[in-house]
Amino acid sequence: ELQRWAAARQLHVDDRYLGIPWDDSDITPSDKCRFDACLQIDDGIWPGAGMNTQSIPAGRYAIFRCDVIQHDFDLPWTRLMRHWLPRSGYLPADDPRFERYFSDGQLTPDGRWDIEICLPVVPL
């Protein structure tokens, strides 16, 4: 729905799509996981009925660019949270984490997504 909305307004650009996963799929049953599909838009663009706006706060983020294959979005988050974060000198901040998409794995022959995962952090 978001892609159709964006295409109709000539706003469909791959690297402007974001996803905000609100739940940890290791803890929350998949049918209860919440996820916001987002598109970066310029000020002054009204999203219209059925769409909402939100802002991602500026701040310090741990950013990990990676490929995701066959929708395994948990793997890079696991690497970041379980391997990098404990040795980093940082803690997760209270702001939402998000994913930035540079390609859509549903449209690539090998199902590969090029993404960045972005975790807000604060020093220990």
mmCIF file of all heavy atoms in Angstrom, residues 88-115:
data_model
loop_
_atom_site.group_PDB
_atom_site.id
_atom_site.type_symbol
_atom_site.label_atom_id
_atom_site.label_comp_id
_atom_site.label_asym_id
_atom_site.label_seq_id
_atom_site.Cartn_x
_atom_site.Cartn_y
_atom_site.Cartn_z
ATOM 1 N N SER A 88 30.922 -2.874 22.985
ATOM 2 C CA SER A 88 31.007 -1.580 22.304
ATOM 3 C C SER A 88 31.220 -0.380 23.230
ATOM 4 O O SER A 88 31.677 0.662 22.780
ATOM 5 C CB SER A 88 29.719 -1.340 21.513
ATOM 6 O OG SER A 88 28.630 -1.124 22.403
ATOM 7 N N GLY A 89 30.831 -0.500 24.496
ATOM 8 C CA GLY A 89 30.857 0.669 25.371
ATOM 9 C C GLY A 89 29.578 1.489 25.281
ATOM 10 O O GLY A 89 29.517 2.613 25.775
ATOM 11 N N TYR A 90 28.562 0.934 24.633
ATOM 12 C CA TYR A 90 27.281 1.623 24.472
ATOM 13 C C TYR A 90 26.140 0.758 24.997
ATOM 14 O O TYR A 90 26.262 -0.461 25.095
ATOM 15 C CB TYR A 90 27.009 1.944 22.992
ATOM 16 C CG TYR A 90 27.941 2.974 22.432
ATOM 17 C CD1 TYR A 90 29.080 2.595 21.734
ATOM 18 C CD2 TYR A 90 27.684 4.330 22.607
ATOM 19 C CE1 TYR A 90 29.947 3.544 21.221
ATOM 20 C CE2 TYR A 90 28.550 5.283 22.094
ATOM 21 C CZ TYR A 90 29.667 4.887 21.402
ATOM 22 O OH TYR A 90 30.519 5.830 20.908
ATOM 23 N N LEU A 91 25.034 1.436 25.279
ATOM 24 C CA LEU A 91 23.771 0.796 25.621
ATOM 25 C C LEU A 91 22.721 1.255 24.622
ATOM 26 O O LEU A 91 22.818 2.372 24.092
ATOM 27 C CB LEU A 91 23.314 1.214 27.021
ATOM 28 C CG LEU A 91 24.137 0.753 28.199
ATOM 29 C CD1 LEU A 91 23.661 1.447 29.477
ATOM 30 C CD2 LEU A 91 24.029 -0.753 28.340
ATOM 31 N N PRO A 92 21.692 0.455 24.393
ATOM 32 C CA PRO A 92 20.605 0.930 23.525
ATOM 33 C C PRO A 92 19.910 2.136 24.161
ATOM 34 O O PRO A 92 19.677 2.171 25.369
ATOM 35 C CB PRO A 92 19.642 -0.257 23.450
ATOM 36 C CG PRO A 92 20.445 -1.443 23.842
ATOM 37 C CD PRO A 92 21.488 -0.941 24.800
ATOM 38 N N ALA A 93 19.598 3.115 23.356
ATOM 39 C CA ALA A 93 18.832 4.276 23.816
ATOM 40 C C ALA A 93 17.342 3.938 23.741
ATOM 41 O O ALA A 93 16.952 2.903 23.208
ATOM 42 C CB ALA A 93 19.162 5.491 22.953
ATOM 43 N N ASP A 94 16.516 4.808 24.260
ATOM 44 C CA ASP A 94 15.077 4.563 24.304
ATOM 45 C C ASP A 94 14.363 4.831 22.981
ATOM 46 O O ASP A 94 13.194 4.503 22.850
ATOM 47 C CB ASP A 94 14.424 5.408 25.403
ATOM 48 C CG ASP A 94 14.776 4.904 26.792
ATOM 49 O OD1 ASP A 94 15.082 3.704 26.934
ATOM 50 O OD2 ASP A 94 14.768 5.718 27.729
ATOM 51 N N ASP A 95 15.026 5.447 22.043
ATOM 52 C CA ASP A 95 14.385 5.758 20.762
ATOM 53 C C ASP A 95 14.235 4.490 19.920
ATOM 54 O O ASP A 95 14.916 3.493 20.161
ATOM 55 C CB ASP A 95 15.219 6.799 20.002
ATOM 56 C CG ASP A 95 15.275 8.126 20.748
ATOM 57 O OD1 ASP A 95 14.237 8.523 21.309
ATOM 58 O OD2 ASP A 95 16.350 8.749 20.767
ATOM 59 N N PRO A 96 13.353 4.532 18.917
ATOM 60 C CA PRO A 96 13.135 3.320 18.116
ATOM 61 C C PRO A 96 14.329 2.967 17.225
ATOM 62 O O PRO A 96 15.015 3.840 16.705
ATOM 63 C CB PRO A 96 11.917 3.664 17.261
ATOM 64 C CG PRO A 96 11.820 5.140 17.262
ATOM 65 C CD PRO A 96 12.465 5.624 18.529
ATOM 66 N N ARG A 97 14.544 1.674 17.089
ATOM 67 C CA ARG A 97 15.523 1.183 16.117
ATOM 68 C C ARG A 97 14.819 1.167 14.765
ATOM 69 O O ARG A 97 13.592 1.209 14.692
ATOM 70 C CB ARG A 97 15.993 -0.213 16.509
ATOM 71 C CG ARG A 97 14.883 -1.237 16.511
ATOM 72 C CD ARG A 97 15.359 -2.574 17.035
ATOM 73 N NE ARG A 97 14.247 -3.508 17.118
ATOM 74 C CZ ARG A 97 14.302 -4.764 16.733
ATOM 75 N NH1 ARG A 97 15.415 -5.257 16.256
ATOM 76 N NH2 ARG A 97 13.261 -5.540 16.839
ATOM 77 N N PHE A 98 15.594 1.122 13.692
ATOM 78 C CA PHE A 98 14.958 1.057 12.385
ATOM 79 C C PHE A 98 15.873 0.417 11.367
ATOM 80 O O PHE A 98 17.065 0.215 11.609
ATOM 81 C CB PHE A 98 14.460 2.437 11.915
ATOM 82 C CG PHE A 98 15.549 3.460 11.692
ATOM 83 C CD1 PHE A 98 16.093 3.654 10.438
ATOM 84 C CD2 PHE A 98 15.998 4.249 12.739
ATOM 85 C CE1 PHE A 98 17.078 4.608 10.225
ATOM 86 C CE2 PHE A 98 16.979 5.212 12.543
ATOM 87 C CZ PHE A 98 17.529 5.389 11.274
ATOM 88 N N GLU A 99 15.287 0.084 10.232
ATOM 89 C CA GLU A 99 15.998 -0.497 9.101
ATOM 90 C C GLU A 99 15.824 0.430 7.909
ATOM 91 O O GLU A 99 14.739 0.971 7.692
ATOM 92 C CB GLU A 99 15.408 -1.870 8.743
ATOM 93 C CG GLU A 99 15.466 -2.850 9.890
ATOM 94 C CD GLU A 99 14.612 -4.086 9.722
ATOM 95 O OE1 GLU A 99 13.794 -4.149 8.776
ATOM 96 O OE2 GLU A 99 14.761 -4.998 10.561
ATOM 97 N N ARG A 100 16.888 0.614 7.150
ATOM 98 C CA ARG A 100 16.839 1.418 5.928
ATOM 99 C C ARG A 100 17.114 0.479 4.764
ATOM 100 O O ARG A 100 18.092 -0.285 4.801
ATOM 101 C CB ARG A 100 17.878 2.523 5.985
ATOM 102 C CG ARG A 100 17.838 3.431 4.793
ATOM 103 C CD ARG A 100 18.777 4.600 4.984
ATOM 104 N NE ARG A 100 18.798 5.391 3.782
ATOM 105 C CZ ARG A 100 19.789 6.176 3.431
ATOM 106 N NH1 ARG A 100 20.844 6.294 4.214
ATOM 107 N NH2 ARG A 100 19.739 6.847 2.323
ATOM 108 N N TYR A 101 16.272 0.530 3.752
ATOM 109 C CA TYR A 101 16.358 -0.418 2.636
ATOM 110 C C TYR A 101 16.941 0.260 1.400
ATOM 111 O O TYR A 101 16.464 1.301 0.969
ATOM 112 C CB TYR A 101 14.970 -0.976 2.318
ATOM 113 C CG TYR A 101 14.286 -1.529 3.540
ATOM 114 C CD1 TYR A 101 13.251 -0.858 4.151
ATOM 115 C CD2 TYR A 101 14.722 -2.722 4.114
ATOM 116 C CE1 TYR A 101 12.642 -1.354 5.287
ATOM 117 C CE2 TYR A 101 14.120 -3.223 5.254
ATOM 118 C CZ TYR A 101 13.075 -2.526 5.835
ATOM 119 O OH TYR A 101 12.485 -3.014 6.961
ATOM 120 N N PHE A 102 17.956 -0.375 0.826
ATOM 121 C CA PHE A 102 18.556 0.106 -0.408
ATOM 122 C C PHE A 102 18.117 -0.722 -1.603
ATOM 123 O O PHE A 102 18.294 -0.317 -2.738
ATOM 124 C CB PHE A 102 20.085 0.100 -0.293
ATOM 125 C CG PHE A 102 20.573 1.049 0.760
ATOM 126 C CD1 PHE A 102 20.822 0.603 2.047
ATOM 127 C CD2 PHE A 102 20.756 2.386 0.483
ATOM 128 C CE1 PHE A 102 21.256 1.474 3.032
ATOM 129 C CE2 PHE A 102 21.186 3.266 1.458
ATOM 130 C CZ PHE A 102 21.436 2.808 2.735
ATOM 131 N N SER A 103 17.582 -1.893 -1.347
ATOM 132 C CA SER A 103 16.997 -2.718 -2.400
ATOM 133 C C SER A 103 15.883 -3.553 -1.784
ATOM 134 O O SER A 103 15.862 -3.784 -0.576
ATOM 135 C CB SER A 103 18.039 -3.626 -3.057
ATOM 136 O OG SER A 103 18.483 -4.621 -2.153
ATOM 137 N N ASP A 104 14.977 -3.990 -2.617
ATOM 138 C CA ASP A 104 13.829 -4.786 -2.189
ATOM 139 C C ASP A 104 14.074 -6.232 -2.596
ATOM 140 O O ASP A 104 14.060 -6.561 -3.778
ATOM 141 C CB ASP A 104 12.566 -4.236 -2.850
ATOM 142 C CG ASP A 104 11.295 -4.941 -2.409
ATOM 143 O OD1 ASP A 104 11.373 -6.082 -1.898
ATOM 144 O OD2 ASP A 104 10.220 -4.359 -2.602
ATOM 145 N N GLY A 105 14.313 -7.076 -1.622
ATOM 146 C CA GLY A 105 14.600 -8.480 -1.888
ATOM 147 C C GLY A 105 13.482 -9.222 -2.574
ATOM 148 O O GLY A 105 13.697 -10.281 -3.159
ATOM 149 N N GLN A 106 12.267 -8.687 -2.524
ATOM 150 C CA GLN A 106 11.159 -9.313 -3.236
ATOM 151 C C GLN A 106 11.259 -9.082 -4.731
ATOM 152 O O GLN A 106 10.586 -9.759 -5.510
ATOM 153 C CB GLN A 106 9.826 -8.776 -2.713
ATOM 154 C CG GLN A 106 9.610 -9.114 -1.240
ATOM 155 C CD GLN A 106 8.320 -8.540 -0.725
ATOM 156 O OE1 GLN A 106 7.255 -8.911 -1.186
ATOM 157 N NE2 GLN A 106 8.428 -7.618 0.227
ATOM 158 N N LEU A 107 12.112 -8.139 -5.135
ATOM 159 C CA LEU A 107 12.260 -7.814 -6.551
ATOM 160 C C LEU A 107 13.593 -8.268 -7.130
ATOM 161 O O LEU A 107 13.838 -8.063 -8.315
ATOM 162 C CB LEU A 107 12.105 -6.299 -6.753
ATOM 163 C CG LEU A 107 10.793 -5.688 -6.243
ATOM 164 C CD1 LEU A 107 10.815 -4.181 -6.417
ATOM 165 C CD2 LEU A 107 9.602 -6.313 -6.950
ATOM 166 N N THR A 108 14.459 -8.852 -6.303
ATOM 167 C CA THR A 108 15.759 -9.318 -6.803
ATOM 168 C C THR A 108 15.690 -10.824 -7.052
ATOM 169 O O THR A 108 15.004 -11.546 -6.324
ATOM 170 C CB THR A 108 16.891 -8.999 -5.806
ATOM 171 O OG1 THR A 108 16.637 -9.660 -4.573
ATOM 172 C CG2 THR A 108 17.000 -7.497 -5.564
ATOM 173 N N PRO A 109 16.411 -11.315 -8.052
ATOM 174 C CA PRO A 109 16.338 -12.747 -8.384
ATOM 175 C C PRO A 109 16.759 -13.674 -7.251
ATOM 176 O O PRO A 109 16.219 -14.764 -7.098
ATOM 177 C CB PRO A 109 17.286 -12.897 -9.580
ATOM 178 C CG PRO A 109 17.599 -11.536 -10.043
ATOM 179 C CD PRO A 109 17.274 -10.573 -8.943
ATOM 180 N N ASP A 110 17.719 -13.235 -6.437
ATOM 181 C CA ASP A 110 18.210 -14.104 -5.360
ATOM 182 C C ASP A 110 17.570 -13.787 -4.005
ATOM 183 O O ASP A 110 17.959 -14.348 -2.987
ATOM 184 C CB ASP A 110 19.728 -14.008 -5.258
ATOM 185 C CG ASP A 110 20.238 -12.607 -4.975
ATOM 186 O OD1 ASP A 110 19.420 -11.662 -4.932
ATOM 187 O OD2 ASP A 110 21.454 -12.445 -4.792
ATOM 188 N N GLY A 111 16.589 -12.892 -3.973
ATOM 189 C CA GLY A 111 15.908 -12.568 -2.721
ATOM 190 C C GLY A 111 16.774 -11.799 -1.744
ATOM 191 O O GLY A 111 16.531 -11.805 -0.545
ATOM 192 N N ARG A 112 17.782 -11.105 -2.233
ATOM 193 C CA ARG A 112 18.741 -10.395 -1.377
ATOM 194 C C ARG A 112 18.307 -8.945 -1.169
ATOM 195 O O ARG A 112 18.027 -8.236 -2.114
ATOM 196 C CB ARG A 112 20.118 -10.436 -2.021
ATOM 197 C CG ARG A 112 21.219 -9.831 -1.177
ATOM 198 C CD ARG A 112 22.567 -9.964 -1.876
ATOM 199 N NE ARG A 112 22.851 -11.323 -2.291
ATOM 200 C CZ ARG A 112 23.462 -12.230 -1.538
ATOM 201 N NH1 ARG A 112 23.871 -11.912 -0.329
ATOM 202 N NH2 ARG A 112 23.687 -13.444 -1.998
ATOM 203 N N TRP A 113 18.258 -8.553 0.096
ATOM 204 C CA TRP A 113 17.973 -7.175 0.489
ATOM 205 C C TRP A 113 19.285 -6.516 0.898
ATOM 206 O O TRP A 113 20.059 -7.096 1.654
ATOM 207 C CB TRP A 113 17.050 -7.131 1.698
ATOM 208 C CG TRP A 113 15.704 -7.744 1.528
ATOM 209 C CD1 TRP A 113 15.417 -9.070 1.414
ATOM 210 C CD2 TRP A 113 14.467 -7.071 1.474
ATOM 211 N NE1 TRP A 113 14.068 -9.252 1.305
ATOM 212 C CE2 TRP A 113 13.458 -8.038 1.340
ATOM 213 C CE3 TRP A 113 14.110 -5.722 1.550
ATOM 214 C CZ2 TRP A 113 12.117 -7.702 1.266
ATOM 215 C CZ3 TRP A 113 12.766 -5.394 1.485
ATOM 216 C CH2 TRP A 113 11.790 -6.380 1.339
ATOM 217 N N ASP A 114 19.539 -5.309 0.440
ATOM 218 C CA ASP A 114 20.665 -4.491 0.877
ATOM 219 C C ASP A 114 20.084 -3.504 1.883
ATOM 220 O O ASP A 114 19.251 -2.667 1.520
ATOM 221 C CB ASP A 114 21.283 -3.775 -0.323
ATOM 222 C CG ASP A 114 22.411 -2.834 0.037
ATOM 223 O OD1 ASP A 114 22.891 -2.851 1.186
ATOM 224 O OD2 ASP A 114 22.812 -2.045 -0.849
ATOM 225 N N ILE A 115 20.492 -3.618 3.156
ATOM 226 C CA ILE A 115 19.883 -2.794 4.200
ATOM 227 C C ILE A 115 20.932 -2.231 5.150
ATOM 228 O O ILE A 115 22.072 -2.698 5.190
ATOM 229 C CB ILE A 115 18.840 -3.574 5.025
ATOM 230 C CG1 ILE A 115 19.504 -4.614 5.937
ATOM 231 C CG2 ILE A 115 17.790 -4.217 4.133
ATOM 232 C CD1 ILE A 115 18.585 -5.176 7.008
#
